[in-house]
Amino acid sequence: MSINSDHFSDKVIVTNILNGNIQDFSFVVKSTEKLVAQIVRKMTVNEEDQQDLVQDIYLKAYKSLSDFQFKSKLSTWIANIAYNTTVNYLRKKKISIVEIEATIENGIITNEIPDLETIKTEGVSILNAEIAKLPPLYKTLIILYHLEELPIKDISEITDLPEGTIKSYLSRARKILKDNINLYYKNEEL
Amino acid sequence: MKVDHLTDEHIQTFLLEEIKDDSVTKHIEVCAICQAKLIEYESMINGISNLVPEVFSFDVSAVVLKKITELEYQKEKRGSMLLYIGLSIFFIVCLVVLYPYIKSIFISFNSLSSIKSLIITVSVMGFVFYLLNDLLRQYKHKEMLISQ
């Protein structure tokens, strides 16, 4: 029902825009900018580049709106454009989207676990810092799955990656993140 | 005694309820190390879910709509230019095609009474004026929609 109503409202908005009501495109921007921000801001750091990327993403979406087949949600389709545009930008800058730098991949087993209260209070900034150290694709997958709570199927449509690959990347990303957080606390204690 | 602990992947899938496996549940109930790992993953995932989502520091809607309006204006300008070029070509082609008949048209006009010539001229000009006026009205209407 919800998917059908989403498709219905997507159809109304897209038809209005294609009929020349450009102002209706602002509804599309407002309803998708949070998702686009998660992708662009997690994969890139330069604010000026981010502004150019956002313009580029929405212009591409506007120009190819007539090609939108309503096979997925409009937000997923725009997120896919955002992801591909950002990946192309990273490729131009010769930045790998899955390569792990300065992270520990091979297990660190700590016997001393930070207590839950510490994690809650300092946790947010440490978590943000450690997520920022992840490779661009891992960051995006973690945020889309755990913060945006998108189903794997939608993430697969956004990233054009098979569902199995996404699950495996997510698993690796969570492990790296947990190990890095543990390492951070271990270094703090020393 | 060697104890086989659960892999991180197993612990994650158990936590996210992607698989239901009694042996995993039983192991976690008795193994303190795997339990600890489970708690670490749980608090980390809860932490991620509670993070403040990223936002842009600029008004995305305004920036994008400005770009699109510029794009539409350029498109409109290109369209008008193409229209003028097309009309000019059409006019030139008409002149070339009608050139052999121009003389006979003037002769037939001369043979008509001045009132008849006036009526024909005014009708044709009125028709052309109506078409051009309609074209201009449509153009202004589109321009108004874009600038809204």
Side-chain angles (χ1 to χ4, degrees), chain A residues 23 41-42 55 62 174, chain B residues 12 54 57 67 72 148:
Chain A
Q23 292 306 310
R41 284 184 63 88
K42 278 285 167 243
Q55 287 181 27
Y62 178 75
R174 280 188 291 253
Chain B
Q12 287 182 33
E54 295 269 4
S57 55
K67 269 270 166 192
E72 283 299 321
Q148 264 175 0

Side-chain angles (χ1 to χ4, degrees), chain A residues 22 59, chain B residues 60-72:
Chain A
I22 295 169
L59 268 187
Chain B
V60 180
S61 254
V63 170
V64 169
L65 280 187
K66 192 173 165 242
K67 269 270 166 192
I68 289 175
T69 312
E70 279 170 18
L71 179 87
E72 283 299 321

Side-chain angles (χ1 to χ4, degrees), chain A residues 41-151:
Chain A
R41 284 184 63 88
K42 278 285 167 243
M43 295 180 90
T44 62
V45 275
N46 187 307
E47 290 234 354
E48 276 178 28
D49 288 352
Q50 286 173 359
Q51 190 160 342
D52 290 344
L53 272 169
V54 171
Q55 287 181 27
D56 202 14
I57 289 161
Y58 282 111
L59 268 187
K60 274 183 191 167
Y62 178 75
K63 282 181 190 167
S64 47
L65 204 57
S66 54
D67 299 332
F68 178 52
Q69 305 281 309
F70 301 97
K71 283 177 184 164
S72 62
K73 283 186 277 179
L74 186 61
S75 57
T76 310
W77 182 70
I78 289 181
N80 175 251
I81 296 174
Y83 175 80
N84 288 328
T85 310
T86 314
V87 167
N88 284 339
Y89 158 85
L90 292 173
R91 275 193 194 132
K92 273 183 201 160
K93 296 247 170 191
K94 294 192 167 71
I95 299 169
S96 167
I97 59 163
V98 280
E99 198 174 288
I100 299 151
E101 288 162 29
T103 51
I104 39 157
E105 232 196 310
N106 295 319
I108 282 184
I109 299 165
T110 52
N111 292 324
E112 294 134 276
I113 308 146
D115 68 285
L116 281 176
E117 275 313 303
T118 319
I119 291 174
K120 274 179 194 165
T121 46
E122 303 174 9
V124 177
S125 55
I126 296 161
L127 195 55
N128 268 323
E130 294 304 330
I131 289 174
K133 286 180 194 166
L134 288 174
L137 180 60
Y138 286 4
K139 270 189 263 188
T140 309
L141 294 181
I142 286 275
I143 292 301
L144 292 183
Y145 188 71
H146 291 294
L147 183 61
E148 289 296 314
E149 293 178 348
L150 291 182

